[in-house]
Amino acid sequence: MLKTQHIFFFAIIIGSVWAQDDTNSSTTQSNAAQCSPKPDITTYNFGLHLAALFVILLTSSFGAFVPVISKKYPRFTVPNIVFFVAKHFGSGVILATAFVHMLPSAFTSLNNPCLQPVWTNYGAWPGAIALMAALFIFITEFIALKIAANLESTDENNHETTNDITNETNNRTANHTNNVADESLNKSEARFEYLTRHSETALSSRAQIIGIAILECGICFHSVIIGMALSVAGDEFISLFVALIFHQMFEGLGLGSRIAELKFPPKSIKPWLMSLAYGTTTPIGIFIGLLVRNSYNPNSNTALIVQGVFDSISAGILLFAALVELIANDFIYDRDFQKLPKIDQIAAFVCLIVGAGIMSVIGIWA
């Protein structure tokens, strides 16, 4: 039915174009231009935009790498209070990024009156896409953790079976069946307790790694989009550029402090790769924008749909990650946090609110 309506609609347009004179044709072209005006590039400063790429690369990388470097190299260790502030401040930044930067941008893009009726007739597309993204991420993480837990349980059972066989052989050789059996039972109970604690710790660590990886994916989606937006910006370039400097640095500190806390092997390169991924995604978006600046039109239907859908997906991912993986895990489920003095708990809430507030204010410009 929808395709039939589109064919009929296009047939009417073609017929009217053939019937119109040159004046009406000019009017049609003028209306089309109003719907998707291309940015004015007559005053485009390529050197300034290119310099922005390196500045954003520096500020993004600074935010993401500093916490990791501090954790890996004792010489650069910063006080624990700095990590405490950066972690909770960053949670507020990431949450505000989803609510203030991504969702409004998605609604603006997908509710543009120049888009096809399939988009404009249902104004809640951004919210629906964000909802689907959040549910998809939740289900994916649930399945991933189940698979990981089953694999770990299988390994532990195999290890325990091997130990039991060895103990049984030793028992027969020692010819002290009763005493050794009691001892074996006690050891088995102790081993079960140890493995249970170990399993919970490992699963918690694995869950944190998966959660932060999902969080970074959502941030990187959005970072490419805002990088392209900056590279094709005209008169609003300066205000957008300044806002993005703080945006990327604060967001990088929040993400970097989380990456630094993950339990990777001492010589693992994964935390470095995760920091590098965040530091380079926005510059990659800027670079792409510089290459296509003469042909790319951010106001075209295709660009509006792509940006709106990507921002919606990123918002859904960040909302789930920020509320569940970060804030709820830190303030509700972390037993160590519950044992902190009241003043420290209040300070954590203040950092969270301040981070969200500052990022919301930056939303005025970016």
Side-chain angles (χ1 to χ4, degrees):
M1 182 64 182
L2 186 59
K3 292 183 179 179
T4 304
Q5 290 177 348
H6 283 181
I7 294 173
F8 180 70
F9 178 70
F10 287 128
I12 293 176
I13 293 178
I14 293 172
S16 62
V17 169
W18 283 347
Q20 287 173 347
D21 56 15
D22 293 341
T23 303
N24 290 337
S25 179
S26 299
T27 303
T28 302
Q29 293 176 0
S30 176
N31 291 336
Q34 291 177 2
C35 256
S36 57
K38 292 193 67 173
D40 182 13
I41 60 173
T42 56
T43 58
Y44 189 89
N45 190 329
F46 179 81
L48 187 60
H49 284 72
L50 182 62
L53 185 154
F54 294 100
V55 173
I56 295 295
L57 175 64
L58 180 63
T59 54
S60 299
S61 299
F62 174 82
F65 276 103
V66 164
V68 176
I69 292 173
S70 178
K71 281 287 185 180
K72 294 293 183 180
Y73 297 101
R75 287 187 304 171
F76 301 100
T77 298
V78 297
N80 289 332
I81 185 63
V82 175
F83 271 105
F84 180 87
V85 171
K87 182 171 76 171
H88 298 298
F89 179 88
S91 296
V93 167
I94 292 169
L95 182 63
T97 298
F99 274 114
V100 178
H101 294 257
M102 294 182 181
L103 270 182
S105 175
F107 273 100
T108 299
S109 298
L110 295 183
N111 287 340
N112 191 300
C114 295
L115 293 181
Q116 296 88 344
V118 69
W119 296 103
T120 56
N121 288 345
Y122 182 67
W125 269 120
I129 295 173
L131 172 64
M132 290 186 286
L135 289 175
F136 176 78
I137 290 301
F138 164 70
I139 295 171
T140 301
E141 183 171 346
F142 178 82
I143 294 173
L145 291 178
K146 281 290 184 182
I147 294 173
N150 289 336
L151 291 175
E152 182 175 341
S153 177
T154 302
D155 292 340
E156 288 175 352
N157 288 336
N158 292 336
H159 180 68
E160 188 171 353
T161 301
T162 302
N163 287 340
D164 288 342
I165 294 173
T166 302
N167 289 334
E168 186 176 351
T169 303
N170 291 336
N171 291 343
R172 290 174 180 175
T173 304
N175 201 15
H176 296 290
T177 305
N178 293 331
N179 293 336
V180 176
D182 292 338
E183 185 180 352
S184 176
L185 180 61
N186 292 335
K187 287 182 178 179
S188 192
E189 291 176 353
R191 185 187 301 112
F192 176 77
E193 261 186 55
Y194 168 77
L195 290 176
T196 301
R197 291 196 303 270
H198 176 70
S199 176
E200 289 175 353
T201 303
L203 188 59
S204 175
S205 176
R206 186 178 291 107
Q208 290 177 9
I209 293 172
I210 293 174
I212 299 303
I214 289 172
L215 172 66
E216 184 166 16
C217 286
I219 292 175
C220 289
F221 270 138
H222 178 64
S223 295
V224 174
I225 296 296
I226 61 176
M228 291 185 65
L230 178 65
S231 63
V232 298
D235 295 336
E236 72 279 13
F237 170 79
I238 297 297
S239 59
L240 181 60
F241 177 45
V242 174
L244 282 184
I245 289 176
F246 292 99
H247 178 288
Q248 292 302 109
M249 185 171 64
F250 290 151
E251 197 173 56
L253 283 171
L255 181 62
S257 63
R258 298 288 175 169
I259 293 173
E261 289 187 334
L262 297 178
K263 306 300 182 184
F264 288 114
K267 295 184 179 180
S268 175
I269 64 170
K270 290 180 180 179
W272 304 104
L273 292 179
M274 293 177 73
S275 298
L276 180 65
Y278 173 80
T280 55
T281 45
T282 302
I284 287 173
I286 297 174
F287 180 72
I288 294 172
L290 290 175
L291 293 179
V292 301
R293 68 186 185 281
N294 293 322
S295 58
Y296 174 71
N297 182 6
N299 298 312
S300 67
N301 284 10
T302 301
L304 289 172
I305 293 171
V306 171
Q307 180 174 343
V309 170
F310 270 59
D311 278 341
S312 300
I313 293 173
S314 299
I317 294 174
L318 259 66
L319 285 175
F320 173 81
L323 291 172
V324 177
E325 304 288 353
L326 304 184
I327 297 176
N329 188 58
D330 287 343
F331 290 87
I332 300 176
Y333 303 116
D334 188 355
R335 295 180 181 178
D336 291 335
F337 181 83
Q338 301 298 330
K339 298 175 182 177
L340 289 177
K342 295 297 182 184
I343 186 66
D344 290 346
Q345 295 182 10
I346 293 173
F349 277 101
V350 170
C351 292
L352 176 70
I353 295 170
V354 170
I358 291 178
M359 205 63 176
S360 299
V361 172
I362 292 177
I364 297 174
W365 301 280

